[in-house]
Amino acid sequence: MSEAEVVREVRGSAGWLTLNRPRALNALTHDMVRLIDAALARWEQDERIAYVVLDGAGERGLCAGGDIRAIRDSALTDEGAAARAFWRDEYRLNARIARFPKPYVALMDGIVMGGGVGLSAHGGVRIVTERSRVAMPEVGIGFVPDVGGTHLLGRAPGELGTHLALTADAMTGADAVHCGFADHFVPAARLPELRTALDGRQLADVLAEFEVPAPPSPLAEQRSWIDACYADGSAEVIVDRLGDSGEPAAKEAATRILGHSPTAVQVTLEAVRRARALGTLDAVLDQEYRVSCAALAGPDFVEGVRAKLVDKDGEPRWAPGTLGGVTWAEVERHFNISPSG
């Protein structure tokens, strides 16, 4: 286990966590989850620490997500045991962040995807910039949004969360504020000053000095057709509505959805809708653990990662290959499984 994967230090009255795998866009490993969790457990009791700050090394972003190559390897070599252990600890960390008793400040500059959302968007102080690209892109690799992502997506205004989940589209910083994934907007050029100020100054004073109003959300401007197309109905109905809407952006969304794993799309739609009814993050994380374990046992995740990251041919062979080929029994299997580990 390399301590350098997460740099943990105290600066003034702030505890700093820096994800430190910049060449991998700070992709999250099991060791990193353990290191972050241990630091939060210690700092929660440390009277010197007034708040915690999370950021990522490098210029590209906070975190591109979990180490999906390692998860795929687990599916292929140990029947998913290591993956299940990783998710168990990761989701518990997501819950710890949400209930952390001190301000938890996440600098969500650049790319923030998947597991990176889980580390940041459940915090109490979430800061984005004009460079932020925040997404839950799991359907594109045959997986389903996790790390509390379906909780956040289900709470977004109208059907914006459903749209984001099924298309895997990225939010701008302004979109993230509008959809409830972030709270504060700071110009990227001021991040160096912000980091210096966060080394011990009063948090409220820092936010007052650096925060500016978020620009208009491009996603919010499309809500009329998004709400009309994604409300109720099956995935097949949604795609038909998108194609028939007359909106060029809607037709493009339909094309993107049809390119993703049909099973992942169907399960994701159901997961977001069930997350709304479940209400609490803890209940949703429990659901996501079951769904993740079920998805790992299916063929599409291994195939999706192969096409995107291993062979990089961009031509996944989904099974089944169409939305209509996914049975309701297969969707239900993802929610009823009793995972081990």
Side-chain angles (χ1 to χ4, degrees), residues 89-98 118-119 122 147-148 281 285:
D89 290 345
E90 183 184 24
Y91 300 172
R92 286 173 176 169
L93 174 60
N94 301 146
R96 178 189 285 278
I97 290 168
L119 289 181
H122 300 304
V147 299
L281 175 61
L285 286 168

Side-chain angles (χ1 to χ4, degrees), residues 177-195:
V177 172
H178 181 74
C179 290
F181 282 66
D183 317 287
H184 307 280
F185 192 95
V186 173
R190 300 207 68 191
L191 284 179
E193 298 173 76
L194 175 67
R195 287 187 170 94

